[in-house]
Amino acid sequence: MAGTVTHDPPPAAGGRQGGPLIVTEDAELLDDLLRLCAAAGATPEVHPGVPERRGGWETAPLVLVGDDAARRVRGAARRHGVVLVGRDQDDSGVWRRAVEIGADHVLMLPDGEQWLVDRIADVAEGVGRPALTVGVIGGRGGAGASTLACALAVTSAREGLRTLLVDADPLGGGLDVLLGGESAEGLRWPAFAASRGRVGGGALEESLPELHSLRVLSWDRGDCVAIPPQAVRAVLAAARRRGGTVVVDLPRRIDDGVAETLAQLDLGLLVVPAELRAVAAAGRVASAVGMVLRDLRVAVRGPYAPGLDDREVARLLGLPLAGEVPVESGLLRPHEGKAPPGAAGKGPLARFCREFWERALVEAGGV
């Protein structure tokens, strides 16, 4: 159980901040709190009372005060980010003690364990602006969505943004292959299939292959073709907490895992070749995706069938126009051994990606 006394948490900041301060002499409670800190990837500082060194109480990103220590910290300077932790669910006096020490929250173990792990991980990792998360999906098969997703991610990384490229299509052959990194060391999706609750953002980033200055979460060549929705939610939430950009290559079918992915996107790009059959197919994809994703835009790829242009395709689909995706040989048929799409930093495709990010980042208020 976690109760709120005030609603003004400590200000968040980007970058790693360190672990919490634990104040208690209760050995059993301390064991539990150390276990929860370990689960959150944080190393705490432990004291039986207010630290004697100057600034220890004031500067800790989070203070966990055992109910046994409430009397000993009563005279400490008031600050945000103090949690009073107890075990007795029936002790009504805990609320009075929380007010006396200026605690933001009252938490009872074991019921509040997951809340506390999340809070400790937040302060350990630093919680800043979440990543701008963009999904790319083909209006029909062979539309070039995977290659555009790679080009967007490569461009983002080249512009100096922390970038993660996520392959959400288990039947697509693997984006690590498209980037020339199928043998690169690092974890793939099946390693995260058992993930529940919270995944550490820093640990996730460090575990993935690094290709072309970005991190890639792809599929291996094994038999696993589905990840439980809870695992998808945990992994993508961890990726977003790290800031920068996340680019997701989406399959054209919608299952529970894909629905979880769509729910975490800021916007989507529907890649549509400018031909009537592709527009008809894209209409069905847009209808399914639009049930979850509110901001879906169309990226039109030529050559154009008679009577069609990019604005007409957008009009027929009833979607905002993100722009015209340039036709390049690498966009349609990436060749093994060549640089990935957009890697050169010049040409029509790279220019499209660069202009897309400039607009999207401004709309998002910066990253």
Side-chain angles (χ1 to χ4, degrees):
M1 180 183 73
T4 300
V5 175
T6 68
H7 297 271
D8 194 3
R16 200 161 186 85
Q17 299 183 19
L21 169 65
I22 297 177
V23 181
T24 185
E25 287 185 327
D26 184 329
E28 185 178 356
L29 178 61
L30 178 59
D31 285 344
D32 282 338
L33 293 178
L34 291 176
R35 172 176 56 83
L36 298 178
C37 285
T43 302
E45 182 179 343
V46 180
H47 290 270
V50 178
E52 294 181 1
R53 66 177 178 83
R54 184 176 179 83
W57 171 271
E58 292 83 359
T59 61
L62 180 68
V63 179
L64 307 178
V65 178
D67 194 28
D68 66 289
R71 178 179 53 82
R72 295 193 296 277
V73 304
R74 193 178 298 162
R78 293 302 176 103
R79 53 153 292 167
H80 297 302
V82 176
V83 179
L84 183 62
V85 185
R87 293 180 178 281
D88 188 352
Q89 304 276 358
D90 299 322
D91 181 9
S92 59
V94 69
W95 298 97
R96 173 182 51 79
R97 293 189 290 276
V99 171
E100 289 174 350
I101 67 172
D104 292 332
H105 298 274
V106 172
L107 182 137
M108 292 296 173
L109 298 180
D111 291 358
E113 285 193 357
Q114 186 58 58
W115 181 92
L116 188 54
V117 168
D118 289 346
R119 186 69 181 273
I120 295 169
D122 281 343
V123 300
E125 290 184 350
V127 181
R129 184 188 297 275
L132 175 59
T133 305
V134 178
V136 186
I137 187 170
R140 66 155 169 78
S146 295
T147 309
L148 178 57
C150 285
L152 286 169
V154 168
T155 301
S156 171
R158 190 175 57 248
E159 294 297 314
L161 295 171
R162 173 186 279 122
T163 305
L164 173 62
L165 176 61
V166 178
D167 185 354
D169 186 358
L171 304 180
L175 291 186
D176 54 351
V177 177
L178 184 55
L179 290 171
E182 60 270 23
S183 60
E185 293 186 2
L187 300 182
R188 268 65 174 181
W189 264 119
F192 299 98
S195 298
R196 299 291 186 275
R198 183 184 179 106
V199 173
L204 171 68
E205 183 176 10
E206 293 169 5
S207 72
L208 299 177
E210 183 174 6
L211 303 169
H212 307 282
S213 300
L214 59 95
R215 297 286 179 166
V216 182
L217 177 53
S218 188
W219 295 84
D220 61 13
R221 263 44 74 183
D223 296 331
C224 178
V225 294
I227 301 296
Q230 309 96 298
V232 173
R233 183 188 314 123
V235 169
L236 289 181
R240 285 175 56 83
R241 285 196 303 273
R242 295 293 285 170
T245 67
V246 176
V247 180
V248 184
D249 180 33
L250 295 161
R252 293 176 58 244
R253 71 182 193 287
I254 308 297
D255 58 19
D256 290 343
V258 175
E260 286 289 351
T261 303
L262 291 171
Q264 298 205 45
L265 297 181
D266 294 306
L267 65 93
L269 292 178
L270 179 64
V271 184
V272 184
E275 55 191 47
L276 287 176
R277 187 179 178 191
V279 173
R284 302 189 68 176
V285 174
S287 178
V289 170
M291 295 177 66
V292 182
L293 178 61
R294 292 182 177 276
D295 190 353
L296 181 63
R297 311 175 191 183
V298 60
V300 182
R301 176 173 64 76
Y304 293 95
L308 287 181
D309 59 19
D310 54 354
R311 295 183 182 278
E312 179 63 11
V313 171
R315 188 192 68 79
L316 290 172
L317 292 172
L319 295 173
L321 178 63
E324 179 183 356
V325 181
V327 177
E328 292 185 5
S329 58
L331 179 64
L332 300 179
R333 295 180 299 277
H335 297 287
E336 186 175 346
K338 290 192 174 182
K346 57 185 177 181
L349 177 58
R351 184 166 56 252
F352 171 89
C353 294
R354 189 166 54 250
E355 292 174 353
F356 167 80
W357 285 123
E358 288 174 356
R359 293 192 303 270
L361 290 170
V362 169
E363 292 174 4
V367 172

